Amino acid sequence: MVVAIDGPAGTGKSTVAKMLADGLEARDGKPFTYINSGNLYRAITLGCIRGGIPVSDTEKVLEYAKSAALDYINGRVCLDGEAVEDLLHSDEVDKLVSPLSSIVPVRHVVNDIVRRIAAGLNAVVEGRDMTTVVFPAAEFRFYLDASVGERARRRFEQKVSVLSREEIEASIMERDTMDRNKEEGSLRIAEGAVYLDTSYLTLRQVYDKLRERIQELRMEHGSNGSGNGH
Ligand code: DC
């Protein structure tokens, strides 16, 4: 069973996806794995920064992405055996990850990793193209949205950026434009996906709405929760 969630940054996707992976019960009794595909792009970006590879050098970036050992262990992304989760949200990674994720063959590397990790498991996967490209046949597909102002406020409140709220808003808009105009895997609402605006909702409310919708869809489809969406 695959729950796929897409949407722009700052819509609560990651937290809610994690909550769902912890809280959902699959009828096959197996636990859910949580996969944040954005963190895989961020880990490759971190590796490039460390190795002095400019994101403009697409050949070298691809070579690096293919050689890097990327995995998810206990819901946390590991790069060459190192848990790097806490290093992935710096302003430098933020700035470089969007151009890096625009490199089509790098997207294929990440898509393969996500599919490999999710294979045969129950998974909650999130990103920009999980519902459109990576798991277009997933039984449960969601698109989370929120206004730019609210997303900037949320990021500012996290206090992980040295930027002002206005600068954060500008950088979010720049990233949105890049994410919506990618040659492949661009951010868009998949046909048939459930759309939810989270601007005025708490994380708990978003979680409850998604759970509710999953229950309804299960009843409608008579799902036994074992479909894997591959
Ligand atoms: O979700 P995030 O903000 O951590 O994602 C980081 C970047 O990676 C963002 O610019 C969008 C991009 N991304 C992508 O292109 N495709 C995905 N499936 C996930 C993220």
Side-chain angles (χ1 to χ4, degrees):
M1 170 177 168
V2 171
V3 179
I5 307 174
D6 284 328
T11 51
K13 274 189 330 276
S14 307
T15 311
V16 170
K18 233 181 274 169
M19 288 164 80
L20 283 173
D22 290 340
L24 280 177
E25 307 85 31
R27 294 216 179 107
D28 66 5
K30 289 188 202 152
F32 276 84
T33 297
Y34 161 65
I35 306 171
N36 175 330
S37 56
N39 275 353
L40 296 172
Y41 288 107
R42 287 176 182 273
I44 296 171
T45 306
L46 177 71
C48 287
I49 294 169
R50 283 176 167 175
I53 303 168
V55 295
S56 53
D57 190 339
T58 54
E59 295 280 308
K60 283 228 168 71
V61 172
L62 177 61
E63 197 183 311
Y64 171 74
K66 282 182 175 163
S67 70
L70 278 163
D71 215 338
Y72 253 88
I73 299 172
N74 299 327
R76 294 173 71 80
V77 70
C78 288
L79 175 63
D80 299 323
E82 179 191 350
V84 291
E85 195 108 357
D86 296 341
L87 307 173
L88 301 181
H89 289 270
S90 66
D91 288 329
E92 195 182 8
V93 172
D94 260 7
K95 193 166 147 244
L96 297 174
V97 66
S98 198
L100 178 136
S101 64
S102 304
I103 305 170
V104 171
V106 171
R107 299 196 68 80
H108 297 164
V109 172
V110 170
N111 294 350
D112 286 349
I113 295 171
V114 175
R115 290 195 190 105
R116 171 178 56 76
I117 299 172
L121 300 175
N122 296 308
V124 183
V125 296
E126 57 113 334
R128 303 294 187 285
D129 60 348
M130 297 297 106
T131 59
T132 52
V133 173
V134 185
F135 297 103
E139 224 177 331
F140 308 102
R141 294 180 303 144
F142 295 96
Y143 187 98
L144 299 189
D145 210 352
S147 67
V148 174
E150 177 57 20
R151 289 158 55 206
R153 190 193 66 76
R154 290 172 183 172
R155 170 89 178 145
F156 183 68
E157 296 296 322
Q158 285 172 346
K159 308 233 182 292
V160 288
S161 173
V162 298
L163 304 178
S164 69
R165 198 166 138 176
E166 291 69 29
E167 286 169 329
I168 290 176
E169 190 164 322
S171 103
I172 283 180
M173 287 200 282
E174 196 182 322
R175 221 143 47 89
D176 278 0
T177 306
M178 273 194 250
D179 288 342
R180 293 198 166 103
N181 290 289
K182 285 186 172 136
E183 195 183 328
E184 202 176 293
S186 62
L187 178 64
R188 63 179 178 82
I189 307 168
E191 210 184 309
V194 176
Y195 177 91
L196 184 63
D197 186 339
T198 71
S199 300
Y200 303 104
L201 299 175
T202 63
L203 288 167
R204 182 73 215 187
Q205 288 171 320
V206 177
Y207 170 73
D208 286 343
K209 281 185 188 291
L210 263 52
R211 265 196 78 115
E212 221 172 87
R213 195 65 194 121
I214 288 169
Q215 293 302 354
E216 285 167 6
L217 287 168
R218 273 178 158 176
M219 307 269 269
E220 277 169 30
H221 298 165
S223 161
N224 64 9
S226 60
N228 63 15
H230 298 287

